[in-house]
Amino acid sequence: MHLLHDPAAPAAAPIAFDDFLKVDIRAGRILAAEPFPQARKPSLKLTIDFGAGVGVKRSSAQIADLYAPEALVGRMVAAVVNFPPRQIGKFMSEVLTLGFPDAEGRVVLFQPDAEVPPGARLF
């Protein structure tokens, strides 16, 4: 199991609070989801609305094992919105959609447990 997926791994080295503040994690609402069969791991292409400040962004997410595209539309998710875009095959992923690995290593999406406005920042 990869260290990032190992629940028994110790906590990462301490960082300064200012370093945490550099990571911009926002809530967004999934507008569209479609299969991404060209990806190496089972993935979906997501279109996510982060509100007026960030706008609509696209993400490749390795979540096809647990989620059907049609079930994701309207769902709130969390994503890092200030990483540089990353080319994945012919697709440009603009944000990193966040999740946790389950016992089999499949990605379970991270989402707010109550309604928040698109673009709300995690703190």
Side-chain angles (χ1 to χ4, degrees), residues 18-25 80-83 121-122:
D18 287 343
D19 291 331
F20 169 73
L21 292 177
K22 292 175 187 176
V23 180
D24 192 352
I25 300 171
V80 176
V81 299
N82 66 331
F83 284 154
R121 185 167 181 179
L122 180 76

Side-chain angles (χ1 to χ4, degrees), residues 3-17:
L3 182 61
L4 290 175
H5 299 158
D6 182 0
I15 62 171
F17 187 71

Side-chain angles (χ1 to χ4, degrees), residues 44-92:
L44 298 175
K45 295 177 189 177
L46 306 177
T47 303
I48 307 168
D49 178 12
F50 292 99
V54 176
V56 175
K57 302 290 182 184
R58 298 188 69 192
S59 179
S60 171
Q62 296 175 355
I63 59 174
D65 283 340
L66 293 178
Y67 300 95
E70 60 276 5
L72 291 172
V73 175
R75 183 183 179 127
M76 294 297 291
V77 293
V80 176
V81 299
N82 66 331
F83 284 154
R86 184 173 176 189
Q87 188 78 40
I88 301 174
K90 294 183 178 182
F91 182 78
M92 184 63 72

Side-chain angles (χ1 to χ4, degrees), residues 1 5-7 65-67 99-109:
M1 183 175 276
H5 299 158
D6 182 0
D65 283 340
L66 293 178
Y67 300 95
F100 294 99
D102 69 7
E104 285 80 43
R106 300 170 301 189
V107 178
V108 176
L109 289 170

